Amino acid sequence: MKKVVTVLLCIVLACTLFVGCGGKNTVLKETDEFIVLTPSDGFAGKKLSEFMDFAKENGELDYKLENSMVTSVNGIDNPADYSYCWMLYTDDAENSNSAWGTIEYEGKTYASAALGATELVIAENCTYIWVYTEF
């Protein structure tokens, strides 16, 4: 009986997560150094790191944080001298700054994110792109 209750609770939890974060969530690896995140509107209002945790739990993304800074994505680490870094870009105009740099993706311009993954709040219909950049 305990096993049946446990299984039912797991199913309810899985359905709740699916409905609560409904829609299509996508983590697209264009290259090892260019990762596109398109959270569903179910993640709007949540921190980007929450979506990244969700993607990590589902095996779509692996990343590491140190002092609230993303230091590794899918096994590619920032070197100790920070000659390369993972930089975040977005089409969320309220949370980006083109003066800090831009990238092009599928004919659209994305500006450097104004906040990191642990502080950036996901906006509806926005895309977030991690790029491993040389300095």
Side-chain angles (χ1 to χ4, degrees):
M1 183 65 172
K2 287 182 182 179
K3 286 184 181 181
V4 171
V5 170
T6 302
V7 169
L8 287 175
L9 286 173
C10 288
I11 291 170
V12 168
L13 178 61
C15 289
T16 302
L17 284 173
F18 180 73
V19 171
C21 301
K24 186 174 181 184
N25 295 297
T26 306
V27 176
L28 175 66
K29 184 174 107 172
E30 284 290 319
T31 69
D32 288 341
E33 299 170 353
F34 197 97
I35 312 296
V36 180
L37 308 177
T38 53
S40 69
D41 289 343
F43 277 98
K46 296 180 181 180
K47 306 286 179 151
L48 182 61
S49 59
E50 292 178 76
F51 173 71
M52 292 171 63
D53 288 342
F54 176 81
K56 188 174 188 175
E57 290 169 9
N58 288 300
E60 297 177 280
L61 179 71
D62 187 29
Y63 76 100
K64 294 179 190 170
L65 286 172
E66 290 180 25
N67 300 320
S68 298
M69 182 176 155
V70 171
T71 58
S72 178
V73 177
N74 293 340
I76 299 176
D77 300 331
N78 293 347
D81 67 358
Y82 289 97
S83 55
Y84 280 84
C85 279
W86 283 101
M87 299 296 293
L88 181 60
Y89 297 86
T90 183
D91 56 352
D92 176 1
E94 304 240 347
N95 289 301
S96 62
N97 185 337
S98 60
W100 297 346
T102 61
I103 60 165
E104 298 289 323
Y105 176 65
E106 293 187 346
K108 187 173 180 179
T109 300
Y110 295 81
S112 183
L115 300 166
T118 60
E119 298 300 319
L120 184 62
V121 176
I122 295 170
E124 286 188 26
N125 301 313
C126 285
T127 299
Y128 303 88
I129 303 174
W130 285 105
V131 180
Y132 194 59
T133 305
E134 181 180 16
F135 287 97

